[in-house]
Amino acid sequence: FAPRDVRKQEFPCTLEESFLTTRRQAFPIELLLREETLARPFFSNIEMYVARAMDRDKGWPAGYEVARDAYGSVEVLDVPRAGVDYVIGVDTEEGKNSDKTGLAICIREPFVQVARWAGGSIDPSLLGEIVSALGWWYNEALVNVESNGSGIACIGWMRRACGYRRLFRMKRYDQATMTLGYQYGWRTGPDTKPIMVGEVQRLLREGRLHVRFPETFRQLKRYQKLPSGRMEAPSGDWDDDVSAICLAAVARSPEDFRGEAEEAPTREINPDTLSLDYM
């Protein structure tokens, strides 16, 4: 007999069951469809916001704001709540093919996606300002930026120009100087991508990953592992949401990935007070 998901594709009872399966999906389709069914009632609550500079003379964060704007590009399901700890994953584009920049904002525990942003080619300094504004807004969220290519410049701009310090960094031993140092962000490569993807696979399997945006679901369903071992979106498609969620998952538990937050938040975080109406 054909596998269950192939049978559903050939003889669908619902629109979701007709989704094309390649048998190479990195994330189980059935689990994603289950989560998408639970998330669908919240899709209509998503609103558009924009991060912008109001008065640069006032500096960060007083001179910047995130506000509701029908023409904005930040999709927000839930605005920041006092006493909630957030994490942000930032996938920086490398200028390859149809690559884009993506950003995922999630509650640390339970791991719930509350906002996303995606854009095309963007100046690292402008990206740094957008991420910093959203990070300040979401209670000084712990930000994990992919440090490939322009990501290094983005991190530098956030630290120097925006004064944003709550950044994920990895412990790194320098053999030349025989000292322990740090590397800001998460460098994605053949040896590290399976680690962060595996963390999301685990959270999804355990029912602890709660995605809340249609585009994120679409990309997760199409993300594939090729026979060569490479993990990526199909040719011509995007995987910025997938990478952003994976980076946020790493920031959720940095000690499990030889990492830590550069600084503790100055605002009080009390997850025991958390009560959500979109779980």
Side-chain angles (χ1 to χ4, degrees):
F1 293 95
R4 185 179 180 185
D5 56 350
V6 175
R7 297 201 305 271
K8 285 188 175 183
Q9 177 186 328
E10 296 297 329
F11 306 100
C13 295
T14 66
L15 181 62
E16 287 78 10
E17 289 180 0
S18 64
F19 179 82
L20 177 63
T21 180
T22 64
R23 305 294 294 162
R24 294 178 180 171
Q25 276 83 3
F27 305 101
I29 294 298
E30 290 190 351
L31 293 181
L32 288 172
L33 292 178
R34 182 195 67 188
E35 288 296 324
E36 189 175 22
T37 299
L38 296 175
R40 189 168 288 110
F42 307 113
F43 291 171
S44 60
N45 297 332
I46 297 173
E47 296 182 307
M48 304 307 297
Y49 280 68
V50 63
R52 58 194 174 198
M54 299 299 294
D55 187 348
R56 293 181 181 272
D57 292 336
K58 292 183 179 180
W60 288 88
Y64 291 74
E65 73 166 12
V66 181
R68 187 179 304 170
D69 190 322
Y71 298 99
S73 56
V74 183
E75 296 182 43
V76 175
L77 173 63
D78 194 67
V79 297
R81 302 191 183 202
V84 179
D85 197 5
Y86 297 91
V87 292
I88 299 178
V90 184
D91 175 38
T92 55
E93 62 94 15
E94 299 181 61
K96 299 178 181 178
N97 303 321
S98 59
D99 196 20
K100 295 200 307 178
T101 299
L103 181 151
I105 303 177
C106 305
I107 294 174
R108 192 168 193 166
E109 190 65 42
F111 194 51
V112 185
Q113 183 186 24
V114 296
R116 67 172 293 273
W117 175 86
S121 181
I122 183 172
D123 183 276
S125 60
L126 178 56
L127 175 61
E129 293 196 3
I130 293 173
V131 177
S132 295
L134 291 170
W136 285 115
W137 194 42
Y138 275 96
N139 300 345
E140 292 182 72
L142 176 57
V143 179
N144 186 13
V145 181
E146 182 184 42
S147 59
N148 298 43
S150 61
I152 300 174
C154 174
I155 293 171
W157 189 264
M158 290 178 67
R159 296 184 72 242
R160 294 192 303 271
C162 306
Y164 200 88
R165 298 293 183 181
R166 198 165 184 235
L167 297 167
F168 174 89
R169 62 183 185 180
M170 291 187 66
K171 298 176 183 178
R172 183 178 182 182
Y173 183 74
D174 190 333
Q175 294 183 346
T177 61
M178 299 182 66
T179 58
L180 182 64
Y182 297 94
Q183 172 184 309
Y184 287 94
W186 177 273
R187 187 165 185 81
T188 303
D191 56 334
T192 59
K193 181 176 284 188
I195 296 174
M196 67 179 194
V197 171
E199 177 67 1
V200 171
Q201 290 172 329
R202 181 183 71 84
L203 293 172
L204 180 63
R205 185 178 65 254
E206 295 177 357
R208 300 171 65 187
L209 170 64
H210 305 290
V211 174
R212 290 292 182 260
F213 292 82
E215 176 60 17
T216 307
F217 275 116
R218 189 191 71 80
Q219 292 186 27
L220 285 168
K221 287 187 288 188
R222 291 179 60 82
Y223 197 72
Q224 57 189 356
K225 182 176 182 179
L226 303 178
S228 63
R230 287 177 57 87
M231 289 184 285
E232 58 187 20
S235 179
D237 203 350
W238 307 308
D239 60 5
D240 48 285
D241 277 39
V242 177
S243 296
I245 282 287
C246 290
L247 290 162
V250 169
R252 170 184 167 274
S253 184
E255 62 278 0
D256 293 340
F257 302 92
R258 292 183 299 152
E260 66 175 23
E262 181 181 11
E263 289 187 5
T266 57
R267 305 181 188 185
E268 182 180 359
I269 301 298
N270 182 13
D272 294 334
T273 64
L274 183 61
S275 177
L276 302 178
D277 54 10
Y278 53 92
M279 284 290 292

